[in-house]
Amino acid sequence: MVVKVEKIIPSKNIADTDEVISEEMDMKKKKYLRGEGANLKELKDKKLQGQLAVKEELYGKSATAAAKAEKWLMPTEGGYLEADGIEKTWRIKQDTIASEVDILSSRKQFDIVLPDFGPYTLEFTPSGRYMAAAGRKGHIAIVDMQNMKAIKELQVRETVRDVVFLHNELFFAAAQKKYPYIYNRDGTELHCLKEHGAVLKLQFLRNHFLLASINKFGQLRYQDVTTGQMVANIRTGLGRTDVMEVNPFNGVVAVGHSGGTVSMWKPTSAAPLVKMLCHPGPITALAFHPNGHLMATAGMERKIKIWDLRKFEVLQTLPGHSKALDFSQKGLLATATGSFVQVFGDLSGSQNYSRYMTHSVAKGYQVKKVTFRPYEDVLGIGHSMGWSSILIPGSGEPNFDSWVANPFETSKQRREKEVRSLLEKLPPESIMLDPTKIGSVRPERKKEKPTKEDIEAQMEAAIEAAKNIPMKKKTKGRSKPSKIAKKKQEAVEKAKKPFMEQHTNKRKLTEETHLPKSLERFVRKKTAA
Amino acid sequence: MAGMKRKSREGNKGKAAFKKKKNQRSSGGADGRRKRTGPRLPNAMLKELQLPKRYTDSDDDEIGSGDGDDVVVNNDFYEYEEEGVAEEESKKNRRFDPVQNYQYELPDDFEDENVPSDEEDGNDDEDGQRGDDDEEEEDDDGRHSRLLQEITGLPTDAFDGKKKKNDVIISEAYSESEYNPSRDILDGDGRISIQDLLDPLHGKPDHGKLRKSMSRMAKKSMPIHAPLPKTDQEQLGRRAAYDVVQGDVTKWEPHVKRNREAPTIYFDEDKHVGFSTVGAIAAEFEPRSDFEKKIASLFNDHEVVEAHRKDGARLLELNKISVEDVRERQDQLAKMRILLFRHEMKAKRVKKIKSKVYHRLQKKDRLKQAGAAIETDPAAVKEQAMKQEFKRAEERLTLKHKNSSKWAKRILKRGLDVQDEGTRAAIAEQLNQHALLSRKANNMKESSSSEESSDEDDLDETSDGSDQDVAVKLLKKAKDKTAEVLEGDEELPASGVLSLPFMVRGMKRRKDAADEEAKLALEEYESSLKELEDKNKTKTQGTNILTGRRVFGAQKKQAPEPKTKVTSDNYYGDSDSEGETDAREIGIGACEENNFSGREVHFDPNSLREESEIAHDSLFKSFDDVARDPSSKTSYEVSISADDSWKKMNDSSVKRKQTKSSNAKSGISLQVTEPVEIDEDSDTDSGGEMVDGILTSGIKSTYEIPSQEELIRRAFAGDDVEDEFEREKQDALNEEVPEPEKPVLLPGWGQWTSIQKKRGPPSWMLQEHDNAKKKREEALKKRKDANLNHVIISEKRDKKAEKLLTQTLPYPYTSQEVFEQSMRMPIGPESNPATVVPALIRPEVVKRSGIIIKPIQFKEVNPHERAQDNKRGGVQSKKGGKSKGKATKKKTVDQKR
C-alpha cells in the first residue's frame, strides 16, 4: 500500500523524455488556450484575418507562458492512495493512513467530541484555513485550522441550522431559529436579517457578494452583503427544503425539492433557469463539482446520481443513501449517511466514480455534514457528537494560488484582498447558466407580433383620439355642423388607415401567393417604390 | 544720341565684317590693309555727321580690332567714357551691368567671345596707336583661324596651311562694305557651306573620314515629320509621367503594407523629448558668466578631482586655509552677530516706547527716508507710483472719504453749520483727501509737475527783480549746496540696521552715484555762472546777443566750453574723489553735447540759457517737501491700515475645529437566558436517531426509520412525480411558447344558418391556425430541452442580463462564431502571465505624449523579407523605419495557413 498525502514532492522520474515533457506542455497549453481559435482561412476579410492571427499568436504565447509557469511554479503533486495486489483502497482505515503519513498530516486526523450541542454543520473558508462549526443547539465556533485554535466560541442559545462565512473569515452568517444573523469574528452580532425569515440553509456567493437563503416556506432570497440591498426574493413554490447549493462555476443556486426536482435559480429571474427531475423521491443532498460541470444529487430512494450539467444528463447512478454530499477540489465525492462516510473518486479521470474510501465515525454518531477542506487532503465531518477530520489522500488541490485563496494569508493581504474583491464584485445579473456567454452577441429575438386584440385596441384608441380633436371655430360657414361632421369623419378615417392597411397588405400578399399557377404570370410585378 | 549712333554704326559694321570674312575665305584675297583703307570714307562721313569729336578714336578702334565688342558695350549711352583708360579700369564707372551680348550681334560676338580680351584688347590699343600693319595682319589671320576652329572643332593647325596657301593675296581696292560688296555676295548666297569648310582640310589625315561622315549625313537627311497633334503629345507625356509616378508610388507599397499589418505602431523610438533627470540637465551645463566659469574651473580643478577620486585625504590638504583668514572670518562673523544683536535690542527698546511725540518724529523720519528713496531710486519711484495708483483705485471703489462713513453722515445730517471748527475742518480734510485720491490718472505726474511749477513760481517771484543777479545768486547757492553735499560725508550710523555692512555698501554705492551727479551739476553751475559773468561783462558791449532770437543747439555752448574744462579740471584737482577722471570726461562730453539731462538730472540747457531757472536737481529737493506731500503721506497710512485689516481677516478666519468624538456603540447584545426553544425537528432527530444509532458498515444498514413528520411529508410528496413534472413542463412551454388561439368568430357572425355552422370558421382562419401551430412545434423542437423529458430549461429573456451581451456583431467581424472564438480568452492580468499581459493589452499606436509624429520616411525595405522581430516586453515589436517601423506578424498568418 502506498499512501501519499499532498505536500510531499515526489521524486521525479529522470527518465522523462523530452517528448513526454513537450506532450505534457501541450496538454497544459491547450488547457490555457480555452478552446480553439477561429479558422482564419475561411475569413474573407484579410485585415481581420491578420489581426486575428496576431491575437491568436499572443494567446498562444500566453498559454505557453502559463503552462510553463504551471510547470515550474506548481510543482507539488496531489497525494493518492494506491492499493497493492488484491488490496482495496476503501478497505484502508484511517489508522493505517495515519501510520504512513508524516506527522503534520497525521495531526489533521482528529475527533472533537461535543456531545451537548447536537449535530454540527461545518464550513471552511475558501483558503481552508478557518472553519466555522455550528451545533444545532446554539454552539458556534470559529477555528483556525492551522494551529487548531478556537478563535471564537459562542452560544447563541437557539437553534442554529446553518452557518456560512462571508467574503472572509471576519464575518459569518448563522441561520438561527427565527432569522439569520451576521456575526463578526469576535462573535459580535452585526446584523439580524429579518427579511429572510426562518432560514433553513444559507449560501454565500463570493464573487457577487450575495447571501442566498432558503427559508421554511421555500422562499429563496438574495441579499447583497455590501449594500444590504435585498436583490431578489423568489418564491420557489416547491415547498420546504434545506437542500441548497451554489454552483461555484456560475453562481447559480440549485435547490433540491421534496418532489424530486432540482431547480436552479438566479437572482434576476423569478422562474427557475432549469428545473430537472432528478429523483422520484425527495432530494436529500446536493453538491457541485468545482468546475461546475458535475452535479451530484441524492434521493430518498437510495440513489446517488451524478449529472453532467452541460447536457443535463445522468452520467452515473450510484446506490446508497446520502444525507450529505460534497465534492473535493480534485473531484472526489464524499457522501454520508448515518455514521458512515464514503468517498467516491474518478481516479481514472473518466468521470466514472467508484468507491475510493470509506470511513465510519463512532457508533451512533449521525453525520450531518461532510465537507472537504480546500488545499488539504482532509475531509471534515460534522456529526451529532461534534466533528471529526479524516485524511482523504488526493482530495485537495496541492498548489494554491495566493491571488485566489491563500491559506497563509496575513491580515494585510486579507485587507488588500477585501478591497480588491469588492472592486471586482460582479453584478447579480452576471449570474447565468453559461457565464462564458457574457460579451457575446445577444441571441436574436423573435419579433413579437402584436396580437389582433392589441391592434384593435390600438385602432380604437386612435379613433377615439381622432374624434376628440377640438375643432377651431371658424367663420364664413366653415364651422357649419355638416362641415364639422365631415372633418371629424375624415380624421377618423385617417386614423384608421394605418391599421387597415396592415390588414389589407397581409391579405393581398396571401392572395398573391395562392394564385393558381396559370394565373401567376398575370400578376403585375410589384414596381419598386 | 551716342547710343543711336552706336547702333547704326554697329549694324553697318556687322554686315561689313561678315562680308569681309567670307571674302577672305572664299577668295582668299581679303586682308587687313584693304579693310583699313576701304570703309574709312563712309564711316568717317557718318561720324562726322553725328559725333565729330570722337571720330578718330572710335574709328581707330574699329579699324584696330576689326570688331570691338567690348568697345561697343562700353560706348553705352549712359556711360562716361574715359579716353586712354584701359577698358578694365573704365568698367569701374559703369552705372549698370554691361550687356555683353546683344542678340543681333551674334556673329561678331561669336568670334570675339573666345578671344582673350586682355591680350587682344591690349594689342588693339597698341595697334591703334602704332598703326603697325603687319601685326594687324597677323592678328587677323589668327582670329580667322580661331573662328574656323570654333566652327569646325578641328585643331588650329588645320587652318595654318590655308593661311600659307592664302599668302597669295588678291587685294581689293576697297574694304568690303555695302558699297563695296564682295564677289560672293554679288554672285549668290553668301553662306559658308560645309564644302567650304572641308576644302581647306584636304590632304589632312582626318579629311576622308570627315568627308564620309558629312556625305552620310547629307544623304540621311530626311524630311522632318510634322509634329504629333497636341492631344497625342500630351497623352504621351501623361503616360510617361504616369509611369514615373507609379514607380515612385510603388516603392512605398512595402512600407504601407508593413504599417498596415503591424499590430502596434511605435512612434517613440529615438525620440529625445528632453532631460528627464536633474543629472542630465547638470551634464549639459556650460558655464557662461564669469562667476560660473570660476566655479567650474574650481570644480574641474585637476587636483581636486584627483583628490576626490582617490580617498579624499588630499582634499584636506587642499582645503587648507590660513589662520589669519579664519580669524578674520571669525571676527567678521562675531561683529555681524553683535551688530545684529544690538540692532535687535534697539528695535526692542524702540518698540516699547510709548511716547506719541517720539512716534510722530519717527514717522516723519520714515517719510523723509521714503521721500529720499523716491528721489534717488527709480525703483522706489515706481513702487510709490504703484502704491498711489492702488490707493486711487481703492478710493474710487470704496469712496471711503466721500462722507460715506457713519460719522460723516451723522455730522452732515445734523448740518455742518452746527459743528464746531475742528469737525468742519476734519470733514473738509476728508473731502480733500478724497479729491486727492480719486483724482484722475497720472496724478503722480501731475503732482510732480505741479511741484515743478510751484518751484518755478518761486523762482519767478525772486527773479522779478533783477534777472541776472538772482540767477547768479541762485546758481551760487546751488553750487555751494552741491559742494556741501559732496564734501560733507554723510555720517554713517555707527549702529542700527544702517550700520550693517550690506546696508553700508548699498548706501555707499548710492552716495557715489549721487556724488557723481552732484559733480556734474556743480560743473554745470560753474559753467553757467561763468557764462553769466561773461554775459554781464559783455552786456554792456552788446546786449543784442541776449535779446536776439534764440539759438538752439551746440553753437551757443561752444564758446564757454574751454573754460568749463579748465574750471572743472581745477575743481577735480582739488577734490580727491575716485571717479574724478571719469566724471571729467562725462562732464566734457556733456558740455559738448549740451545734453545734460540724460538721466534723472532735470537740467535743460534752454532754461540755463534763459537764466530764469535753475536746474532742478533731484538731489536738492528738500525732503520736507516730500514729507509734506499729501499723496505719499496718505498712501503710507493706507498701507498700514491695509495691513491691519489683513491681520484682522486672518484672525477671524482662523477657526478652531472642534473634533467630535463619536461614540462607538457596541453591538454586542447579551443574550438573556431564555428557555431554549428547540425545533421539533431537532428534537426528533437528535432524540430518536441517536438512541438507535448503530455502527454499521453496510449501506443498507444505514437506513433508519424517519420521523413521523418526515414520513408524512414524504408520503404526500412522492406522488407520481414524473407526471407532475410532465405537466409542469407543459405549462412552462405553454407560457414561453404560447399555443395559438383557436379561430373564433364573433358571436352571431357566420352562425345564421346551419350550413354556416357546419362549415365552421373560414378556411383562412384555419390555415393561419395551422401555420401558427406548426411554428410552435418548430420552436419547441429547437428548444434545448426538447429531447430532455426530465428537464425544463427556461428560455426567457433576462432583460437585466442583456446589457452584458452585445446587441450586434462588432464591425470587422462577419460571423458570430469567429467573434466568439476571438473573445474566448480573457486578456486581463488576472488570467494571464505577467510577461504577456502588456502585449495583450498594447494599444494600436504607442506614442509618448509630446512627440511629434513626423511624416513617413522612405527607407529601402525588402518587400519579401519579414521585418526582424525585436523582443520587447516579451512581445514582438518591430523597429523598422525611423518614424514608423512596424512589425508585421505575417509569419503567423502564414503558419496558420
Side-chain angles (χ1 to χ4, degrees):
Chain A
M1 188 203 74
V2 178
V3 180
K4 286 265 185 185
V5 179
E6 70 157 293
K7 309 282 150 116
I8 300 164
I9 301 166
S11 60
K12 276 246 167 162
N13 207 350
I14 305 162
D16 275 356
T17 57
D18 288 348
E19 223 174 88
V20 174
I21 290 172
S22 71
E23 217 170 89
E24 208 177 296
M25 288 293 285
D26 279 352
M27 288 282 289
K28 280 174 183 169
K29 192 180 165 184
K30 209 174 168 190
K31 180 177 84 181
Y32 284 110
L33 267 178
R34 296 172 170 91
E36 296 232 324
N39 188 1
L40 295 175
K41 259 188 242 170
E42 278 171 15
L43 280 177
K44 277 178 193 164
D45 187 348
K46 285 220 169 145
K47 191 178 176 190
L48 180 63
Q49 204 180 32
Q51 284 173 345
L52 286 183
V54 169
K55 237 184 204 176
E56 282 301 329
E57 201 205 10
L58 282 177
Y59 290 165
K61 280 190 174 178
S62 170
T64 322
K68 265 186 199 159
E70 189 192 316
K71 188 183 169 192
W72 295 114
L73 297 179
M74 300 207 268
T76 324
E77 283 189 351
Y80 52 90
L81 202 59
E82 207 173 67
D84 292 339
I86 52 164
E87 243 181 347
K88 299 290 179 197
T89 49
W90 62 86
R91 296 250 168 78
I92 297 164
K93 298 264 181 274
Q94 287 293 314
D95 306 341
T96 359
I97 292 174
S99 61
E100 292 286 327
V101 298
D102 57 330
I103 297 172
L104 266 181
S105 299
S106 64
R107 271 201 201 148
K108 286 165 191 161
Q109 273 182 331
F110 57 83
D111 284 305
I112 304 274
V113 182
L114 299 160
D116 296 335
F117 300 113
Y120 276 84
T121 179
L122 307 177
E123 162 93 359
F124 286 105
T125 55
S127 66
R129 167 110 186 239
Y130 299 94
M131 185 183 77
R136 181 95 190 175
K137 288 171 185 146
H139 176 224
I140 298 175
I142 306 294
V143 185
D144 183 347
M145 296 302 279
Q146 227 163 34
N147 48 18
M148 291 306 292
K149 217 172 94 184
I151 289 170
K152 185 67 192 177
E153 273 189 276
L154 67 155
Q155 172 56 263
V156 295
R157 292 171 190 272
E158 58 179 2
T159 314
V160 175
R161 298 195 191 90
D162 199 7
V163 64
V164 283
F165 278 113
L166 299 189
H167 57 281
N168 58 24
E169 74 274 11
L170 295 190
F171 304 98
F172 63 92
Q176 296 182 22
K177 190 185 174 214
K178 274 177 142 179
Y179 312 114
Y181 291 85
I182 291 179
Y183 298 92
N184 70 1
R185 187 168 54 172
D186 305 325
T188 311
E189 179 194 316
L190 301 176
H191 296 287
C192 170
L193 312 174
K194 283 190 179 165
E195 274 180 277
H196 289 257
V199 166
L200 297 180
K201 180 84 176 162
L202 281 172
Q203 286 288 293
F204 184 70
L205 285 74
R206 266 161 232 298
N207 296 326
H208 306 83
F209 281 84
L210 292 178
L211 183 66
S213 72
I214 188 147
N215 66 9
K216 267 184 179 173
F217 311 106
Q219 284 173 326
L220 178 63
R221 283 169 207 268
Y222 287 91
Q223 188 162 24
D224 191 327
V225 297
T226 56
T227 61
Q229 186 198 3
M230 192 61 92
V231 172
N233 179 8
I234 301 163
R235 293 181 50 142
T236 60
L238 293 166
R240 170 180 171 138
T241 177
D242 63 346
V243 180
M244 183 173 79
E245 206 65 37
V246 173
N247 186 343
F249 170 62
N250 52 18
V252 168
V253 168
V255 183
H257 301 281
S258 57
T261 54
V262 170
S263 54
M264 299 188 182
W265 305 85
K266 63 177 179 180
T268 50
S269 85
L273 286 171
V274 177
K275 197 170 173 187
M276 49 199 297
L277 184 65
C278 297
H279 293 275
I283 288 183
T284 53
L286 186 65
F288 282 102
H289 193 279
N291 68 12
H293 299 324
L294 290 186
M295 178 176 77
T297 57
M300 271 309 194
E301 87 286 10
R302 262 193 81 235
K303 282 208 172 81
I304 297 167
K305 287 181 178 175
I306 295 171
W307 298 81
D308 186 345
L309 287 183
R310 291 170 288 192
K311 293 191 284 183
F312 296 102
E313 276 173 0
V314 184
L315 278 179
Q316 209 181 349
T317 309
L318 301 163
H321 268 292
S322 175
K323 285 223 73 180
L325 278 173
D326 193 32
F327 272 102
S328 84
Q329 279 179 320
K330 281 293 193 182
L332 301 186
L333 175 64
T335 74
T337 176
S339 58
F340 184 66
V341 177
Q342 209 173 4
V343 177
F344 295 94
D346 61 334
L347 297 176
S348 55
S350 60
Q351 290 177 338
N352 187 15
Y353 278 83
S354 57
R355 207 160 6 145
Y356 178 55
M357 282 186 78
T358 54
H359 176 69
S360 309
V361 287
K363 50 188 152 185
Y365 293 3
Q366 294 296 308
V367 175
K368 168 132 195 254
K369 170 105 177 174
V370 283
T371 176
F372 283 101
R373 185 173 162 198
Y375 304 106
E376 296 283 355
D377 287 346
V378 169
L379 177 68
I381 303 164
H383 49 75
S384 52
M385 294 294 278
W387 72 81
S388 42
S389 155
I390 59 170
L391 288 181
I392 308 290
S395 67
E397 169 68 45
N399 302 292
F400 65 87
D401 181 353
S402 62
W403 291 107
V404 177
N406 186 0
F408 306 101
E409 199 170 52
T410 62
S411 56
K412 198 169 183 183
Q413 282 171 328
R414 187 188 61 222
R415 267 177 242 136
E416 296 250 340
K417 199 181 161 204
E418 187 172 16
V419 173
R420 221 184 152 76
S421 57
L422 276 171
L423 289 173
E424 286 167 358
K425 176 185 147 189
L426 295 176
E429 53 267 23
S430 65
I431 297 175
M432 53 178 75
L433 266 187
D434 189 0
T436 56
K437 281 274 175 277
I438 289 177
S440 65
V441 181
R442 183 189 297 177
E444 221 173 284
R445 196 190 313 162
K446 271 176 289 167
K447 210 176 170 188
E448 281 179 12
K449 272 184 206 157
T451 58
K452 232 178 233 174
E453 283 89 53
D454 287 343
I455 294 171
E456 267 162 27
Q458 275 178 15
M459 196 165 83
E460 287 298 316
I463 290 169
E464 225 23 60
K467 271 180 187 168
N468 289 337
I469 292 171
M471 287 292 171
K472 263 188 204 165
K473 198 162 184 197
K474 292 188 172 177
T475 51
K476 292 188 182 169
R478 280 183 291 184
S479 280
K480 272 190 283 185
S482 62
K483 291 245 174 185
I484 288 175
K486 202 180 158 192
K487 269 181 194 165
K488 282 211 165 158
Q489 188 64 27
E490 276 171 3
V492 168
E493 288 301 318
K494 210 174 163 187
K496 265 187 192 174
K497 221 176 175 181
F499 299 99
M500 301 306 284
E501 267 173 4
Q502 280 179 357
H503 278 282
T504 50
N505 280 349
K506 223 190 276 169
R507 193 71 55 78
K508 260 185 200 163
L509 278 177
T510 50
E511 269 168 21
E512 258 175 28
T513 49
H514 294 298
L515 273 178
K517 193 90 185 164
S518 55
L519 290 181
E520 269 177 11
R521 59 189 164 134
F522 295 114
V523 174
R524 224 166 94 199
K525 287 276 174 337
K526 213 181 168 188
T527 50
Chain B
M1 221 172 85
M4 269 175 65
K5 174 212 86 182
R6 233 27 243 181
K7 252 187 199 167
S8 62
R9 210 183 46 164
E10 233 9 78
N12 294 341
K13 191 197 63 188
K15 270 180 220 159
F18 205 63
K19 277 174 211 159
K20 178 189 71 190
K21 278 166 217 151
K22 234 167 283 149
N23 220 359
Q24 280 175 341
R25 265 153 243 143
S26 55
S27 66
D31 71 20
R33 228 174 235 175
R34 312 205 93 258
K35 219 177 21 179
R36 207 186 146 116
T37 49
R40 181 163 292 182
L41 184 63
N43 273 349
M45 279 170 71
L46 267 172
K47 267 164 210 170
E48 259 168 349
L49 278 171
Q50 290 185 0
L51 198 75
K53 260 187 195 173
R54 288 174 59 190
Y55 164 67
T56 47
D57 174 46
S58 58
D59 200 25
D60 258 355
D61 227 10
E62 200 188 62
I63 293 160
S65 63
D67 179 277
D69 187 43
D70 287 332
V71 181
V72 168
V73 171
N74 281 345
N75 289 345
D76 201 276
F77 186 94
Y78 296 101
E79 293 301 321
Y80 168 66
E81 254 181 31
E82 269 180 302
E83 287 183 59
V85 177
E87 271 178 353
E88 285 77 6
E89 281 174 57
S90 72
K91 276 176 195 166
K92 281 196 296 199
N93 296 358
R94 287 184 183 180
R95 283 209 226 144
F96 51 86
D97 290 343
V99 180
Q100 295 288 347
N101 269 330
Y102 291 116
Q103 249 174 341
Y104 49 80
E105 291 172 349
L106 231 179
D108 307 273
D109 177 44
F110 195 61
E111 176 188 296
D112 229 6
E113 210 172 36
N114 288 286
V115 177
S117 62
D118 44 357
E119 210 185 309
E120 198 65 34
D121 291 345
N123 284 345
D124 283 355
D125 288 346
E126 280 169 40
D127 290 350
Q129 280 159 13
R130 277 187 252 151
D132 191 335
D133 290 354
D134 297 339
E135 279 191 20
E136 186 91 352
E137 216 170 296
E138 264 182 32
D139 236 5
D140 249 0
D141 285 340
R143 208 173 292 148
H144 181 235
S145 71
R146 267 197 295 275
L147 167 71
L148 286 178
Q149 179 192 1
E150 198 60 45
I151 291 168
T152 58
L154 286 172
T156 335
D157 58 346
F159 307 105
D160 290 349
K162 187 203 161 200
K163 192 181 134 199
K164 276 168 200 163
K165 270 181 200 166
N166 289 350
D167 273 347
V168 184
I169 295 160
I170 302 161
S171 59
E172 278 179 50
Y174 305 98
S175 66
E176 33 171 44
S177 72
E178 48 199 334
Y179 304 103
N180 183 25
S182 67
R183 203 178 40 195
D184 273 354
I185 288 165
L186 293 174
D187 285 351
D189 65 331
R191 291 184 198 157
I192 301 171
S193 67
I194 290 175
Q195 203 55 42
D196 292 339
L197 297 171
L198 272 179
D199 278 344
L201 294 176
H202 208 85
K204 289 276 167 193
D206 284 341
H207 179 252
K209 218 166 101 187
L210 203 60
R211 206 186 49 198
K212 258 183 208 165
S213 68
M214 284 304 175
S215 63
R216 199 169 57 231
M217 274 168 64
K219 261 184 217 160
K220 251 195 181 170
S221 69
M222 304 248 291
I224 298 165
H225 294 288
L228 279 173
K230 205 175 182 187
T231 48
D232 289 3
Q233 278 180 6
E234 279 170 355
Q235 200 182 6
L236 285 173
R238 283 199 299 270
R239 200 173 288 161
Y242 174 76
D243 285 343
V244 171
V245 171
Q246 199 187 26
D248 227 28
V249 168
T250 43
K251 76 175 182 185
W252 289 96
E253 259 172 20
H255 279 263
V256 174
K257 189 158 178 282
R258 258 179 15 168
N259 281 345
R260 279 204 186 142
E261 281 169 354
T264 305
I265 297 179
Y266 299 89
F267 286 111
D268 58 350
E269 277 143 22
D270 341 311
K271 288 288 171 358
H272 183 62
V273 170
F275 299 114
S276 54
T277 59
V278 180
I281 296 167
E284 283 300 287
F285 175 75
E286 257 184 37
R288 265 163 293 169
S289 69
D290 288 343
F291 176 69
E292 283 172 356
K293 274 174 192 158
K294 219 182 251 177
I295 295 284
S297 71
L298 281 178
F299 263 127
N300 302 329
D301 190 1
H302 211 64
E303 282 188 345
V304 176
V305 171
E306 201 115 296
H308 260 292
R309 206 166 287 158
K310 279 171 188 169
D311 55 347
R314 233 183 89 70
L315 275 179
L316 285 176
E317 287 174 41
L318 290 171
N319 240 354
K320 212 173 257 175
I321 11 170
S322 66
V323 180
E324 292 89 55
D325 282 352
V326 174
R327 193 163 292 154
E328 205 174 301
R329 194 175 142 66
Q330 272 175 349
D331 286 352
Q332 203 186 358
L333 280 177
K335 194 180 163 196
M336 292 296 291
R337 234 174 285 133
I338 286 168
L339 277 175
L340 264 179
F341 174 71
R342 283 198 191 146
H343 179 60
E344 205 173 301
M345 294 312 287
K346 193 184 173 188
K348 261 185 196 166
R349 186 176 56 79
V350 166
K351 208 186 164 195
K352 266 187 192 162
I353 294 173
K354 284 176 183 167
S355 157
K356 274 187 179 175
V357 178
Y358 173 79
H359 280 293
R360 204 169 55 230
L361 290 173
Q362 194 81 338
K363 202 167 157 189
K364 215 172 167 184
D365 268 1
R366 237 178 292 146
L367 281 174
K368 233 184 220 173
Q369 265 169 19
I374 286 162
E375 315 274 283
T376 51
D377 191 3
V381 173
K382 207 173 165 194
E383 205 176 310
Q384 169 72 15
M386 290 290 287
K387 243 186 215 168
Q388 180 67 19
E389 205 51 33
F390 182 75
K391 289 283 108 59
R392 201 176 82 79
E394 201 182 36
E395 177 61 29
R396 276 158 69 90
L397 263 179
T398 57
L399 298 179
K400 201 174 170 186
H401 294 108
K402 210 190 173 188
N403 293 339
S404 56
S405 68
K406 216 172 167 185
W407 168 78
K409 273 182 193 161
R410 207 179 111 248
I411 284 169
L412 287 178
K413 204 175 159 192
R414 290 176 70 194
L416 260 183
D417 303 335
V418 194
Q419 306 303 325
D420 62 336
E421 203 59 24
T423 323
R424 248 182 282 169
I427 289 271
E429 169 71 9
Q430 262 216 342
L431 279 176
N432 196 22
Q433 210 155 27
H434 171 75
L436 260 177
L437 279 174
S438 59
R439 220 185 316 168
K440 271 224 153 214
N442 300 334
N443 46 0
M444 270 305 287
K445 280 177 194 166
E446 269 178 343
S447 65
S448 64
S449 68
S450 68
E451 278 166 31
E452 270 178 25
S453 65
S454 66
D455 282 358
E456 278 166 17
D457 287 348
D458 290 349
L459 287 172
D460 283 349
E461 280 168 34
T462 51
S463 62
D464 273 345
S466 61
D467 287 353
Q468 298 276 328
D469 288 359
V470 174
V472 171
K473 255 184 221 164
L474 277 172
L475 273 174
K476 272 184 178 161
K477 201 175 155 192
K479 190 183 150 193
D480 288 348
K481 264 194 176 173
T482 321
E484 222 176 80
V485 169
L486 265 177
E487 281 159 19
D489 262 8
E490 218 182 293
E491 287 174 340
L492 290 180
S495 63
V497 194
L498 292 177
S499 68
L500 296 179
F502 62 91
M503 289 295 275
V504 171
R505 248 176 280 136
M507 275 170 66
K508 200 181 170 195
R509 210 179 304 128
R510 224 178 303 154
K511 197 177 161 277
D512 283 351
D515 280 354
E516 216 164 271
E517 269 176 15
K519 278 169 202 162
L520 291 177
L522 207 73
E523 233 170 61
E524 197 63 20
Y525 294 148
E526 274 170 4
S527 68
S528 47
L529 262 177
K530 284 251 163 65
E531 213 180 346
L532 278 177
E533 279 164 14
D534 287 349
K535 272 177 205 165
N536 281 342
K537 283 172 196 165
T538 53
K539 211 177 183 180
T540 47
Q541 294 155 7
T543 44
N544 53 346
I545 302 170
L546 263 178
T547 52
R549 81 186 155 130
R550 277 188 193 179
V551 183
F552 297 96
Q555 288 168 337
K556 187 135 196 194
K557 262 282 159 170
Q558 271 164 1
E561 187 191 293
K563 283 171 199 164
T564 42
K565 247 186 203 167
V566 173
T567 52
S568 62
D569 278 352
N570 285 341
Y571 172 74
Y572 283 114
D574 293 342
S575 75
D576 50 1
S577 70
E578 303 162 4
E580 129 187 330
T581 47
D582 285 3
R584 205 183 309 153
E585 272 165 29
I586 292 165
I588 292 160
C591 285
E592 279 170 0
E593 285 167 5
N594 194 16
N595 194 9
F596 211 65
S597 56
R599 289 159 307 168
E600 301 104 290
V601 191
H602 307 295
F603 203 99
D604 52 340
N606 284 343
S607 62
L608 243 188
R609 235 174 291 120
E610 293 290 341
E611 298 147 323
S612 59
E613 292 165 12
I614 287 178
H616 311 288
D617 196 319
S618 49
L619 240 191
F620 307 109
K621 244 182 207 170
S622 65
F623 291 144
D624 290 3
D625 278 355
V626 181
R628 256 181 267 129
D629 186 356
S631 61
S632 63
K633 191 177 182 180
T634 45
S635 72
Y636 188 67
E637 277 168 6
V638 173
S639 76
I640 285 169
S641 69
D643 259 4
D644 285 348
S645 67
W646 180 77
K647 268 180 197 164
K648 271 178 209 164
M649 285 282 287
N650 242 11
D651 282 347
S652 66
S653 69
V654 173
K655 283 177 186 173
R656 282 184 188 171
K657 286 180 184 174
Q658 294 180 345
T659 53
K660 291 171 186 173
S661 59
S662 57
N663 299 327
K665 289 175 185 174
S666 60
I668 306 163
S669 58
L670 293 172
Q671 299 272 342
V672 190
T673 51
E674 270 176 33
V676 178
E677 286 182 27
I678 295 171
D679 272 13
E680 315 93 11
D681 271 354
S682 68
D683 278 345
T684 53
D685 278 3
S686 54
E689 283 168 21
M690 259 202 274
V691 169
D692 59 1
I694 309 153
L695 183 68
T696 51
S697 59
I699 299 164
K700 281 178 192 172
S701 61
T702 59
Y703 187 80
E704 74 273 323
I705 301 159
S707 68
Q708 197 63 21
E709 207 192 11
E710 193 85 344
L711 273 175
I712 293 165
R713 210 190 298 147
R714 225 183 292 164
F716 283 101
D719 252 358
D720 203 2
V721 188
E722 280 180 27
D723 272 2
E724 205 175 297
F725 190 79
E726 193 66 32
R727 249 178 288 128
E728 258 176 50
K729 181 164 182 178
Q730 216 49 54
D731 289 348
L733 291 183
N734 283 342
E735 198 194 339
E736 283 179 35
V737 190
E739 240 182 305
E741 45 188 307
K742 279 200 167 170
V744 210
L745 290 172
L746 281 176
W749 284 91
Q751 293 170 352
W752 287 102
T753 63
S754 56
I755 303 165
Q756 275 182 324
K757 268 187 184 169
K758 225 186 229 173
R759 233 193 257 154
S763 61
W764 63 266
M765 271 187 171
L766 291 175
Q767 214 153 16
E768 224 168 52
H769 182 67
D770 281 353
N771 282 344
K773 260 191 173 175
K774 265 185 218 161
K775 253 188 201 169
R776 179 171 185 260
E777 293 298 309
E778 276 170 32
L780 289 182
K781 265 183 203 166
K782 270 185 208 162
R783 283 175 65 94
K784 275 187 229 160
D785 55 3
N787 298 324
L788 301 168
N789 288 329
H790 59 281
V791 182
I792 309 168
I793 300 171
S794 163
E795 293 198 341
K796 274 184 187 166
R797 283 189 301 120
D798 185 359
K799 277 183 189 166
K800 279 181 187 165
E802 243 166 33
K803 67 184 174 193
L804 301 171
L805 308 171
T806 61
Q807 216 157 359
T808 53
L809 210 55
Y811 157 60
Y813 296 97
T814 45
S815 114
Q816 194 176 329
E817 194 197 355
V818 172
F819 170 64
E820 272 162 24
Q821 273 168 328
S822 78
M823 297 298 288
R824 72 181 195 281
M825 285 277 283
I827 56 169
E830 292 87 2
S831 27
N832 284 295
T835 49
V836 201
V837 173
L840 281 169
I841 58 173
R842 181 163 296 148
E844 274 178 34
V845 172
V846 174
K847 175 186 168 296
R848 250 183 301 157
S849 63
I851 281 176
I852 297 162
I853 298 177
K854 283 187 189 147
I856 188 169
Q857 276 176 337
F858 181 71
K859 206 184 156 206
E860 205 62 57
V861 276
N862 185 358
H864 305 298
E865 169 213 20
R866 319 259 175 279
Q868 285 328 19
D869 293 333
N870 294 352
K871 286 270 175 191
R872 210 217 239 186
V875 210
Q876 282 187 331
S877 75
K878 190 168 93 242
K879 301 177 180 179
K882 264 194 181 142
S883 57
K884 278 197 179 183
K886 274 332 67 251
T888 58
K889 306 281 156 116
K890 280 212 69 183
K891 200 190 286 173
T892 61
V893 180
D894 289 351
Q895 281 170 358
K896 298 269 167 179
R897 280 175 196 152

